[in-house]
Amino acid sequence: MKIQPESNNIAMTGWNWQSFKNSIKQKVIDAVPESTIKDGAKRVEKWKSIDEKISKPAENRLIMGATAIVTQPVIDYNNHKVDQETRRVSRNRTIAKILAGTTVGMIVRGSCYGIVEKMTDVYGKGKYSKSLLPDKYIKELSKDAKLLKNYRSALSTAVAILAMCITNFAIDAPLTVYLTNKFNAKTAPAKTKGKEASNG
C-alpha cells in the first residue's frame, strides 16, 4: 500500500512537512508484515458459532457482567481518596449490583429473546409464529439467516429494555440492597462484628 502525496497550492521549496509526515506513515506501513489467516472450513464454522452465541442478548450481558466483576470491585477497593471502611462498603455494593444486574438481566434478556424467536419463525405454523414479523419483509428475512438473527437480537433487546424499566426497581434494587447487607456482614472487621452481635 502506497500513500499518495496530497497536493498543496502553496509552492514550497526545501523541507515539506506533508512529505515528511507521509514518509513516516509509509515507513510504518512498510514495517508491518503482510499476512493472511489460514482457516479451514471447520474453524470458520467454529468462529461463526462463537459469534452467534456471544451476540445474543443474554450471553452478551453475561460477558459484560463478567468483565465488570473482575475490574470494578478492584477499582473501588483501591480508591485511596476514601477511608478503609468506605472502600469496603463500596466494593461490596459494587459486587452486589453487578451480581443482581447480571443475573436479572440475563433472565430477562434470555426470556425476551426466546419469546421473540418463537414469534419470528418464518416457517412456523402456529398462531403467533409470525406475529412479530413485518409482512413486507418476511420473504427477505426467510432468505437471509443473518438478517433474521440481527432482527431478532435488536427486537428482543428493545423488548428487554422496556421490561427492565420495571425489573430494575422491582427486583434489581431490592436484591442489590439484600446482597450488599450480606456482604457487609460477612466482611465486617472483628470489632464491628462483636458490636453487631451485642446489639442484636
Side-chain angles (χ1 to χ4, degrees), residues 106-171:
M106 283 185 65
I107 293 168
V108 172
R109 290 178 188 220
S111 301
C112 289
Y113 188 86
I115 293 167
V116 167
E117 193 172 29
K118 287 180 181 178
M119 297 175 78
T120 54
D121 186 356
V122 291
Y123 303 110
K125 302 294 182 185
K127 186 178 180 181
Y128 300 106
S129 297
K130 299 176 184 176
S131 56
L132 292 178
L133 286 170
D135 292 335
K136 60 180 180 179
Y137 296 120
I138 288 178
K139 285 184 180 179
E140 190 177 342
L141 289 167
S142 65
K143 292 176 184 176
D144 193 337
K146 189 173 182 180
L147 181 63
L148 179 60
K149 181 178 79 74
N150 290 341
Y151 174 75
R152 284 172 173 166
S153 292
L155 185 58
S156 62
T157 299
V159 173
I161 288 169
L162 292 175
M164 285 187 289
C165 288
I166 298 168
T167 60
N168 279 350
F169 298 102
I171 302 172

Side-chain angles (χ1 to χ4, degrees), residues 9 51 60 171-172 184:
N9 294 329
D51 175 61
N60 196 264
I171 302 172
D172 285 40
N184 285 343

Side-chain angles (χ1 to χ4, degrees), residues 3 23 35 38 42 61 69 77 83 129 139 142 147 173:
I3 295 174
S23 173
S35 62
K38 294 181 180 179
K42 287 183 179 178
R61 185 67 184 87
I69 200 78
Y77 198 63
D83 59 82
S129 297
K139 285 184 180 179
S142 65
L147 181 63

